[in-house]
Amino acid sequence: MLHKHLRRSSFLLLFWVLFLWGDAHILVYHRFDDPRHPTTNTSLQELRKEFIYLKNHHYRVIPLSKLITALQQHQPIPDRWVVLTIDDGFKSFLKALPLFKEFGYPFTLFVSTKPTQNRYPDFLSWRDLKTIAPFGQIALHSHAHPHLVDLGDEKIRADTQKGIELFKKHLGFTPTAYAYPYGEYDERVKRIIESFGFEAIANQNIGAIASTSDPKDLDRIAMVGDANLSQALRYRHLEAHWIEPKKYPKDGVLHHVKVGIDPRYHAAWIYVTDYGWKKFPVINGLVQAKLDYLLHKRRVRVIIKVKNSKINAKILVRSRYGAQ
């Protein structure tokens, strides 16, 4: 009888561990209640609906810094953690701020400093940012919001340094987190941005955050257009080693995709922009897809997915800088 009780207790403990620990999610917004730009806009009505969903389904919205600390210390990541981020620094965030305050939800606002410094009317001012700062984290989204892959090394460094200097001058601190403009980067850009010592660097690759995730390469899910929050929160992190491709192919043709994943999976699906999903076998932990896809866009997403919504994504951006 005692052994039976212990077995049952062990099963329940395992169940609760599996329930409590899983993958966190980082969401990214841009504009709020600004119908002039529907592809990057979220209405306040939709934002409230999403916040109510998070509350009613017992998600815990945490600061980005809390997630980074957990990753740095190799702690388990609770399944119900959600981080809210906003890119660019548009003035329309002031419309949404009361909702964040009403729900008590922290956020990270990634700001490009040139529009703020030059007082572009559609962007937050330094005074606005000082007003916002007590309620969330202000972080860097570059200075001039360039396509980083099209800049030489020194121009990338100069743009980043300019943004940092303006933060120190106007806000009195050095930003500890960075988000790539347009979500575009490659290995060369990644190395340069990492050299500034940011604790967190965010992309815009669809995915989730597990205890093994790299704080310097954080996946975020864009909540714009017809984004589905419940679907976004179902994604799980797939541990994947991208062997091929490493960068945008010089001939513009994606010949192969080769990815190492858990050998327990027997099949995986590969997605490429403009070509959709295609199923491939997993042999000894390796997915080898011969595609020969002609790439039509300068920016292409390649995604690998297995059952249970586990996913891992890579962005390829055409650049005149071949060396990475």
Side-chain angles (χ1 to χ4, degrees):
M1 192 72 178
L2 178 60
H3 291 300
K4 183 178 180 181
H5 176 73
L6 289 174
R7 285 198 302 270
R8 183 172 181 272
S9 298
S10 298
F11 171 79
L12 289 174
L13 178 61
L14 176 61
F15 173 82
W16 282 110
V17 168
L18 291 174
F19 177 79
L20 290 171
W21 306 118
D23 296 339
H25 296 83
I26 306 178
L27 309 180
V28 54
Y29 297 89
H30 293 80
R31 302 174 188 264
F32 297 97
D33 239 22
D34 189 350
R36 298 172 303 164
H37 305 276
T39 59
T40 56
N41 182 54
T42 301
S43 70
L44 294 185
Q45 180 181 7
E46 179 61 25
L47 186 64
R48 177 177 288 278
K49 179 180 173 182
E50 290 171 358
F51 282 6
I52 290 173
Y53 182 94
L54 293 173
K55 181 179 179 180
N56 289 346
H57 288 80
H58 309 292
Y59 285 94
R60 183 182 175 193
V61 178
I62 64 165
L64 176 61
S65 58
K66 186 176 182 69
L67 177 61
I68 298 308
T69 297
L71 291 175
Q72 290 172 338
Q73 297 179 358
H74 307 290
Q75 299 173 357
I77 303 298
D79 189 53
R80 297 277 165 171
W81 275 8
V82 173
V83 174
L84 304 177
T85 66
I86 305 95
D87 279 6
D88 300 319
F90 291 116
K91 196 88 170 179
S92 65
F93 178 68
L94 293 177
K95 301 178 186 178
L97 181 59
L99 263 180
F100 283 86
K101 293 164 67 175
E102 176 186 336
F103 282 81
Y105 286 168
F107 55 85
T108 295
L109 178 64
F110 287 102
V111 175
S112 296
T113 52
K114 182 178 180 179
T116 294
Q117 180 67 10
N118 291 355
R119 301 181 181 181
Y120 293 173
D122 205 24
F123 288 80
L124 295 163
S125 67
W126 291 115
R127 178 176 292 182
D128 292 331
L129 292 174
K130 289 178 181 178
T131 301
I132 292 166
F135 306 101
Q137 177 186 14
I138 311 297
L140 185 60
H141 193 40
S142 79
H143 173 58
H145 205 279
H147 293 276
L148 293 176
V149 297
D150 290 332
L151 299 184
D153 295 7
E154 289 308 311
K155 287 187 177 181
I156 296 174
R157 293 189 183 97
D159 178 271
T160 310
Q161 188 60 46
K162 181 67 173 178
I164 291 171
E165 289 172 357
L166 287 171
F167 259 69
K168 291 191 289 188
K169 177 180 178 180
H170 292 282
L171 300 178
F173 63 88
T174 300
T176 59
Y178 183 96
Y180 297 113
Y182 307 103
E184 296 179 357
Y185 68 109
D186 55 25
E187 290 304 311
R188 178 182 68 94
V189 170
K190 186 173 184 287
R191 286 195 301 269
I192 295 170
I193 298 301
E194 283 183 342
S195 72
F196 283 88
F198 295 106
E199 293 181 359
I201 301 174
N203 59 51
Q204 273 198 59
N205 294 335
I206 189 170
I209 308 299
S211 58
T212 56
S213 295
D214 182 358
K216 308 295 180 64
D217 199 8
L218 295 169
D219 294 338
R220 297 185 300 164
I221 302 171
M223 299 303 297
V224 293
D226 58 353
N228 185 319
L229 178 59
S230 61
Q231 174 59 51
L233 296 173
R234 282 196 289 269
Y235 289 125
R236 292 293 176 263
H237 175 75
L238 175 65
E239 201 65 33
H241 172 55
W242 289 86
I243 303 168
E244 191 178 351
K246 292 289 189 182
K247 57 185 178 181
Y248 198 101
K250 289 183 178 180
D251 62 358
V253 178
L254 182 60
H255 296 284
H256 301 93
V257 171
K258 186 183 297 186
V259 187
I261 62 172
D262 191 325
R264 290 177 295 180
Y265 293 109
H266 301 293
W269 286 259
I270 300 290
Y271 169 90
V272 179
T273 300
D274 290 333
Y275 290 96
W277 294 96
K278 190 172 182 180
K279 186 177 180 180
F280 294 91
V282 181
I283 301 174
N284 297 323
L286 190 64
V287 182
Q288 297 191 77
K290 188 178 188 308
L291 301 175
D292 294 327
Y293 287 166
L294 177 63
L295 303 181
H296 304 291
K297 295 182 172 65
R298 65 173 293 275
R299 182 170 64 183
V300 172
R301 296 197 184 278
V302 184
I303 305 172
I304 182 167
K305 178 178 71 173
V306 297
K307 62 181 181 179
N308 302 326
S309 297
K310 286 196 171 186
I311 197 166
N312 196 297
K314 188 176 186 67
I315 188 169
L316 306 176
V317 188
R318 185 168 59 235
S319 167
R320 62 191 180 94
Y321 292 90
Q324 298 184 25

